[in-house]
Amino acid sequence: MNNSIDQKNMSNKVDIGILEEKSNWLLHPRFFPSKIGGKPAWLNLKDLPKPEEVSCKKCQEPLVFLCQVYAPYEESDDCFHRTLFVFVCRNGGCCGTNTADNFLVMRCQLPRKNDFYSYEPYEECENEKFAMDKWTKLCEICGIKAPSHCSKCKQTYYCSRKHQILDWQKGHKENCPKVSRSSICSDNYFKVTEAAKSLLFREWELIVDEEDEGDDKNVDVNVEMDKLRKLMQEKRAGTLSDISDNELEQYTQTLPEDKVFNKFSKRVARHPDQVLRYERGGCPLWITSNEGSVIHVPKCQYCNEDRQFEFQIMPQLLNFIDVGIDFNSIDWGVLAVYTCRASCNEGPAYKQEFMIKQDLLK
Ligand SMILES: [Zn+2]
Ligand SMILES: [Zn+2]
Ligand SMILES: [Zn+2]
Ligand SMILES: [Zn+2]
């Protein structure tokens, strides 16, 4: 499986993730994908987090799926399948500098023998019968657990009143009387309605592979550094509408002197399109020497084991997802994800993990 992550990287070999377009049936949960956008490809299909657990700590609205990384532990039978899920609030106003309050990271794992998937890998064919909603009803719009349904057709499910209203306005009002009884067991996993289109991030497969260190010879490091610097400045300029020109100028002038940023840019220039860096037990590649953002990582709240760094999401991802104009201020420098070192089985099927968001501004 080319999307599984090689675990030989305990010595500082880093895997990097790049994006590829793929027909979306291959991103179905039964293929254990790593991916960006669309609906979450849940691992455990039954014990999904409740909608209130997948809501923004700041505005309480439902979070939207950002990405998932399939990262089994080869040494542990309990983690034969193991996926980390990242959600984010679409409301740009909830995005604060150097705080990950608008994000949620969850870990789920399964042994090879489990209730949901066959012991042997599935063949890559499109029309295998696999009804997701046999286990749990999923929200028509965002794909998270849906405890309520449309009271008229009784066949369209929603996580929240907000998504029900959005769907009603964007087409369900017309479609509701046409929803037929025969569609009752259809797999709506890849169904993307107008409402979903307005909410979900664009879907991509995430290909994770070893970082090739011999690649730099073909890359003009300075050109790539300039591109990255420009990207970061544009993002910043776009999001900080309340900052004065004077402050912005001050900030952009100090940028080239940031040694950490220079190191970051040089390393990234080997593979300018990387959107993820994976190094279980390793160190994040920070984007700035800004120390205020690097805070204490709490122990696992389920087993009390230390957490360790596992992967980071790169700012380049912002170029690939349609962060429309309304959501202009969703932004980050580096999103570093820390997970339970033991990858424990305690607690719920979907366990919360920890993220540090580092921005270029203090
Ligand atoms: Zn929010
Ligand atoms: Zn929803
Ligand atoms: Zn309806
Ligand atoms: Zn733990």
Side-chain angles (χ1 to χ4, degrees), residues 107 300-306 340-346 351 353:
R107 166 171 60 89
C300 171
Q301 65 261 48
Y302 307 105
C303 75
N304 213 34
E305 177 65 77
D306 285 338
C340 172
R341 199 164 59 184
S343 203
C344 65
N345 261 332
E346 324 295 318
K351 303 167 219 308
E353 295 289 9

Side-chain angles (χ1 to χ4, degrees), residues 209-226:
D209 222 331
E210 229 173 76
E211 181 182 44
D212 184 346
E213 300 190 27
D215 270 19
D216 351 20
K217 53 184 178 294
N218 294 325
V219 176
D220 187 331
V221 174
N222 288 325
V223 170
E224 292 306 329
M225 276 174 73
D226 282 349

Side-chain angles (χ1 to χ4, degrees), residues 2 36 55 66 69 122 147 161 191 241 265 314 345 357:
N2 64 0
I36 306 288
S55 64
L66 178 65
V69 180
Y122 289 87
R161 181 135 180 83
K191 187 171 152 196
S241 47
S265 310
M314 306 294 279
N345 261 332
K357 174 170 176 279

